[in-house]
Amino acid sequence: KRLGELLVARNYVTKTQLVEALLQQSASGKRIGALLVELGALDERDLARLLSEQLSVPLVDLRVDIPDQAAVKLLPETVARNVNAVPLRVDGDVLHVAVAEPSDHFAQLLSEAARMPVELAIAPATDIRWAIDNTYRALAGVEAQVEAFEASDSLRRAAAPLQLQESFAGDDAPVVRVVNMTITQALRDRASDIHIEPQDHRVRIRFRIDGALHDVLALPANIGPALVSRIKILAGMNIVEKRKAQDGQIAMDVDGRDLDIRVSTTATIWGEKAVLRLLDKSRTLYRMQDLGMPDETVAVYGKLVRSPFGMVVCSGPTGSGKTTTLYATLAEINDPEKNIVTIEDPVEYVFPSINQIQINDHAGVTFAGGLKSILRQDPDIILVGEVRDAETARIAIQSALTGHFVLSSLHATDAASALHRFIDMDIEPFLIASSLRAVVGQRLLRRICVSCAAPVKPSADELAFYKESGGPPKKAFWQGEGCNFCAKTGYLDRVGVYELLRVTEGMKELILRRASHDEIRSLAVAEGMRTLRQEAIRLVEEDMTTIGEVVRTIYTL
């Protein structure tokens, strides 16, 4: 059977999803399996398993099978990235290589590059990219670039600002190389943010990986202003102004992946600090089943988001995965018969089959203005990236009341707090009660790395917290010891924790009389809502995360 037929026969995808992917395949030229993964209809591991069966090629698990350094030296990094292949080991005179899409052409290219026979195996594309990023380090030569910078530092200090800017323009300049290396390594380490922080005698560079900051580099203090100036040039910012906070944007291609970087600078007592938010536009969409919701929550949520009108809101702090949940929802309800339009700032996921609008303040494209224009575009489903002000909230609610289905995100502590945020924006309670179908509160917890998971004895305080939260007795608790695959952190990737508040008739009555947060929360729990804390403890019980991670991330009172 062809791969598409096999996927439908095994119930991995529906016929509708396959038809949608085939229509896009004619325009994009991509393989059908890769397209289905991009659309969020298929899991990469299921695709790899079926390809292994269809092509009779062995399947490897790169979470366990770590590349051998002797094999890595035989295959240049450029070839590994171009083919998306990672060398595993040398067996006699044969090099074993894992690829996402086996073919005779790839085997020949790899054999010529390694100058020896090659045996192919299959692994998910994302796992291969992770293995490549962990194997080939971009920061390996940063010390040499820092030495080259310091050697010419006296000349650079004497240069005029214009000459200073010109000294950063060449691709071979040490500062340019350090910035490029840092951004490249951050992308390879799955970092969401880069913090460049000047201090008394050094410049500290930290990456936020899976929600936690990690020290990566300590550079000489005199290179700090040069690094920030180079970043400002890339982002189109004013390099002379060093006292005011500034914002900018960089579009880059790193390792063949489109990267959108949001830059923010601010003055500290030691100099300018820069924070770079990395948005990898090539990321694959998640499916509802992969987010971390329990099956019963997925079933209820799935019914709510298939409503022909009304509004569903995802709430939580910055970086809690709200946009990921919204796009997984869109992938679930996407239908060729529906017109889906989104308005976002920024567009974090590129969804091939829907219409996406990017906010542009300079051009006058705002959430409120863009939402008004969307309503003239005959939409069925509208996604508002974020409700930031009363005008946007009012238009979104009016859209939900006039026969459209609206998805949106909102900054709030939990699901009950989101209702009060709308009231705080001076939205009339009767409009909130009439339009809202449900509110999802969420957080992200780091997953225990399965490659280095080991039994551990929690502290007395952690055990007390676990019991107080209603956790059942456990014989063993687990945590990651740290390995190459998880960058020695013991955690790899994150899982969502959700609470689903349904706007029932009883809840509408509380909203109409502006009830307190505790009353709303108590009714939601009485009507079946499992709180964030309860769901987080369930993940500890299932050995997906640790008690310490729950205490660090979830509001515990």
Side-chain angles (χ1 to χ4, degrees):
K1 287 184 177 180
R2 292 183 177 182
L3 180 62
E5 295 173 349
L6 199 58
L7 289 167
V8 173
R10 299 286 180 87
N11 294 321
Y12 285 120
V13 299
T14 64
K15 287 185 178 180
T16 303
Q17 290 169 327
L18 179 60
V19 169
E20 170 74 14
L22 288 170
L23 287 172
Q24 292 189 30
Q25 186 184 33
S26 59
S28 66
K30 296 180 180 178
R31 292 177 179 265
I32 193 70
L35 267 174
L36 285 165
V37 171
E38 279 186 21
L39 292 170
L42 179 64
D43 183 80
E44 276 191 319
R45 300 193 186 284
D46 292 334
L47 174 62
R49 195 178 301 113
L50 279 176
L51 282 173
S52 172
E53 180 183 327
Q54 186 189 35
L55 302 174
S56 299
V57 175
L59 180 69
V60 295
D61 187 351
L62 290 174
R63 295 173 296 182
V64 179
D65 201 340
I66 298 173
D68 183 67
Q69 285 301 312
V72 171
K73 292 177 181 178
L74 295 172
L75 192 65
E77 181 181 354
T78 52
V79 177
R81 293 193 180 280
N82 288 338
V83 180
N84 199 25
V86 62
L88 297 174
R89 63 187 180 279
V90 180
D91 189 359
D93 61 348
V94 176
L95 176 64
H96 292 262
V97 182
V99 295
E101 298 176 351
S103 70
D104 293 337
H105 175 62
F106 282 171
Q108 183 179 350
L109 283 176
L110 293 167
S111 181
E112 290 173 357
R115 298 181 180 179
M116 65 188 304
V118 166
E119 189 76 32
L120 297 183
I122 287 181
T126 302
D127 285 8
I128 291 176
R129 285 194 292 269
W130 280 350
I132 292 173
D133 292 344
N134 284 325
T135 302
Y136 301 97
R137 302 292 291 177
L139 292 173
V142 74
E143 293 86 358
Q145 301 304 323
V146 172
E147 288 175 6
F149 171 84
E150 291 190 307
S152 58
D153 187 40
S154 58
L155 296 175
R156 186 173 286 105
R157 285 184 180 182
L162 181 60
Q163 294 173 315
L164 181 67
Q165 181 169 341
E166 289 175 350
S167 72
F168 297 151
D171 291 340
D172 295 329
V175 171
V176 174
R177 287 181 173 270
V178 171
V179 170
N180 291 345
M181 286 176 173
T182 302
I183 293 174
T184 300
Q185 192 59 58
L187 183 64
R188 294 180 183 181
D189 286 347
R190 302 176 296 108
S192 61
D193 302 85
I194 303 171
H195 289 242
I196 300 175
E197 303 167 330
Q199 296 180 335
D200 190 7
H201 300 296
R202 65 169 184 166
V203 175
R204 179 172 66 170
I205 297 180
R206 296 191 290 174
F207 293 168
R208 186 177 294 279
I209 303 171
D210 292 334
L213 282 168
H214 301 275
D215 286 348
V216 176
L217 279 176
L219 302 176
N222 58 349
I223 201 174
L227 289 176
V228 175
S229 294
R230 171 59 183 170
I231 291 166
K232 283 183 169 183
I233 291 169
L234 289 173
M237 298 157 70
N238 184 352
I239 68 166
V240 178
E241 179 57 69
K242 299 181 182 297
R243 295 166 299 177
K244 292 181 181 178
Q246 296 187 60
D247 296 305
Q249 181 179 359
I250 305 171
M252 295 181 71
D253 182 282
V254 178
D255 292 339
R257 292 147 72 181
D258 289 332
L259 192 63
D260 186 16
I261 305 174
R262 298 302 166 106
V263 181
S264 174
T265 62
T266 190
T268 71
I269 59 171
W270 300 116
E272 278 190 290
K273 173 183 174 178
V275 176
L276 286 68
R277 165 64 59 91
L278 309 184
L279 300 172
D280 181 6
K281 291 190 173 183
S282 65
R283 290 181 299 178
T284 56
L285 290 168
Y286 282 85
R287 297 188 300 171
M288 291 299 302
Q289 299 91 321
D290 302 327
L291 294 176
M293 283 188 187
D295 293 340
E296 56 270 24
T297 305
V298 170
V300 174
Y301 182 71
K303 291 179 182 178
L304 289 167
V305 297
R306 283 176 171 80
S307 172
F309 56 87
M311 187 173 181
V312 172
V313 173
C314 288
S315 65
T318 301
S320 59
K322 299 185 295 294
T323 304
T324 301
T325 300
L326 290 175
Y327 267 93
T329 305
L330 281 187
E332 185 79 9
I333 62 178
N334 187 23
D335 191 313
E337 296 179 355
K338 293 178 179 177
N339 176 25
I340 302 177
V341 188
T342 77
I343 181 163
E344 306 163 74
D345 182 29
V347 174
E348 293 189 28
Y349 291 89
V350 177
F351 204 119
S353 59
I354 65 177
N355 308 288
Q356 296 172 277
I357 298 173
Q358 169 76 54
I359 291 295
N360 188 333
D361 290 327
H362 297 297
V365 181
T366 62
F367 274 111
L371 195 48
K372 288 178 182 177
S373 68
I374 287 173
L375 292 174
R376 297 190 290 271
Q377 292 283 316
D378 184 31
D380 296 298
I381 299 172
I382 302 171
L383 186 148
V384 183
E386 183 184 340
V387 173
R388 295 179 179 173
D389 51 55
E391 187 180 6
T392 305
R394 192 171 296 279
I395 298 170
I397 285 175
Q398 288 171 351
S399 303
L401 288 171
T402 53
H404 305 94
F405 182 69
V406 180
L407 287 165
S408 186
S409 69
L410 182 71
H411 284 98
T413 306
D414 54 21
S417 300
L419 298 177
H420 282 275
R421 285 275 288 124
F422 278 115
I423 295 173
D424 186 49
M425 292 178 183
D426 291 330
I427 306 297
E428 291 81 357
F430 71 89
L431 290 177
I432 302 171
S434 302
S435 60
L436 273 182
R437 292 285 174 268
V439 180
V440 177
Q442 67 179 88
R443 293 289 192 281
L444 290 175
L445 295 175
R446 292 183 291 175
R447 289 178 187 260
I448 296 171
C449 176
V450 295
S451 301
C452 59
V456 65
K457 185 178 180 180
S459 66
D461 288 342
E462 289 179 336
L463 281 174
F465 173 80
Y466 179 77
K467 292 177 182 177
E468 180 191 330
S469 303
K474 273 175 66 69
K475 292 183 178 179
F477 291 86
W478 293 75
Q479 75 174 22
E481 293 183 323
C483 64
N484 290 333
F485 213 71
C486 62
K488 308 296 182 184
T489 63
Y491 297 99
L492 184 62
D493 210 351
R494 289 187 286 180
V495 60
V497 183
Y498 297 87
E499 60 181 19
L500 179 61
L501 185 153
R502 292 174 295 156
V503 181
T504 60
E505 291 302 319
M507 190 63 67
K508 288 179 181 179
E509 291 180 11
L510 292 186
I511 295 171
L512 288 172
R513 63 180 179 86
R514 299 174 183 260
S516 68
H517 176 276
D518 288 343
E519 287 181 276
I520 291 173
R521 187 172 182 80
S522 297
L523 178 62
V525 171
E527 291 180 339
M529 182 184 85
R530 288 180 56 82
T531 65
L532 290 172
R533 184 168 171 178
Q534 288 173 321
E535 283 299 297
I537 291 299
R538 176 182 65 83
L539 295 178
V540 173
E541 181 191 350
E542 295 175 0
D543 298 325
M544 293 182 69
T545 191
T546 62
I547 302 173
E549 181 66 7
V550 175
V551 173
R552 185 186 74 88
T553 308
I554 304 294
Y555 185 63
T556 57
L557 293 180

